């Protein structure tokens, strides 16, 4: 069996002495009855006064005036615009009127236009079919960014798992 190192032994001894000192201090300075408190200290505590019994609860006051109406809240998630597009760029479905998808020149490149300003929104995109058919799209990636020179469109690119631009179906949601 290997012998313990000197630092380990010293740290163990320091721990024993520190805990032992606390135990001695607690035993020596712990107050267990009023007789152990100096009479002068007891007089000072008594001068601070005693708290009396709690009185009865008073009557309810009159109701105040109605405050001003608050500002309207932000729209909830059920109003977040979204789009589901096929790999050929055709629109499968969308959250409302005025949403369009266009396949741009080149493979895996799309333009998605919304009927609102998207500059202050977060863009969330994912690869995936829009039908409930049980088919699974092969793994891939998607990038979504604001479309340059306009405030109401997104630039979407889809890639295969090797990072090569590939036409893939996708879903995009705006959170504004």
């Amino acid at each position: 069996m290997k012998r313990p190192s000197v630092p380990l032994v010293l740290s163990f001894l320091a721990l024993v002495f520190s805990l032992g000192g606390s135990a001695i201090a607690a035993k020596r300075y712990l107050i267990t009855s009023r007789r152990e408190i100096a009479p002068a200290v007891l007089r000072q505590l008594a001068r601070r006064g005693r708290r009396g019994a709690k009185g009865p609860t008073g009557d309810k006051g009159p109701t105040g005036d109605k405050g001003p109406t608050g500002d309207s809240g932000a729209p909830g998630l059920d109003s977040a615009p979204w789009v589901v597009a096929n790999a050929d760029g055709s629109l499968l479905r969308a959250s409302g009127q005025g949403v369009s998808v266009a396949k741009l020149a080149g493979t895996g490149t799309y333009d998605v236009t919304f009927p609102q300003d998207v500059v202050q929104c977060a863009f969330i995109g994912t690869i995936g079919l829009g039908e409930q058919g049980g088919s699974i799209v092969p793994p891939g990636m998607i990038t979504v960014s604001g479309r340059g020179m306009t405030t109401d469109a997104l630039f979407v690119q889809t890639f295969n798992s090797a990072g090569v631009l590939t036409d893939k179906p996708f879903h995009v949601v705006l959170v504004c």
Side-chain angles (χ1 to χ4, degrees):
M1 184 165 138
K2 188 175 178 182
R3 290 178 45 185
S5 66
V6 173
L8 178 67
V9 171
L10 291 177
S11 61
F12 179 75
L13 288 174
L15 178 66
V16 168
F17 286 124
S18 66
L19 293 177
S22 299
I24 292 169
K27 185 176 180 183
R28 180 171 178 181
Y29 296 108
L30 186 65
I31 298 172
T32 58
S33 73
R34 287 180 67 122
R35 285 180 282 133
E36 296 176 4
I37 302 173
V41 173
L42 286 174
R43 281 192 296 275
Q44 277 185 331
L45 291 173
R47 263 188 257 135
R48 289 192 181 176
R50 294 189 178 166
R51 193 172 181 165
K54 184 176 179 181
T57 303
D59 294 334
K60 182 179 178 183
T63 302
D65 295 334
K66 184 176 180 179
T69 302
D71 296 334
S72 295
L77 286 179
D78 59 342
S79 65
W82 52 268
V83 63
V84 179
N86 292 312
D88 64 1
S90 61
L91 179 67
L92 185 60
R93 61 182 178 275
S95 59
Q97 298 294 324
V99 179
S100 66
V101 178
K103 178 125 175 45
L104 301 176
T107 304
T109 306
Y110 308 88
D111 179 69
V112 180
T113 305
F114 290 92
Q116 71 182 64
D117 188 327
V118 300
V119 173
Q120 298 298 318
C121 302
F123 322 131
I124 303 169
T126 187
I127 301 293
L129 294 173
E131 305 93 23
Q132 297 290 348
S135 298
I136 297 175
V137 177
M141 299 172 277
I142 185 170
T143 61
V144 183
S145 62
R147 184 105 166 110
M149 310 297 276
T150 182
T151 60
D152 65 349
L154 301 177
F155 183 68
V156 177
Q157 288 187 305
T158 57
F159 305 84
N160 65 16
S161 59
V164 177
L165 281 166
T166 306
D167 291 340
K168 289 193 173 280
F170 62 89
H171 302 233
V172 173
V173 177
L174 294 179
V175 180
C176 303

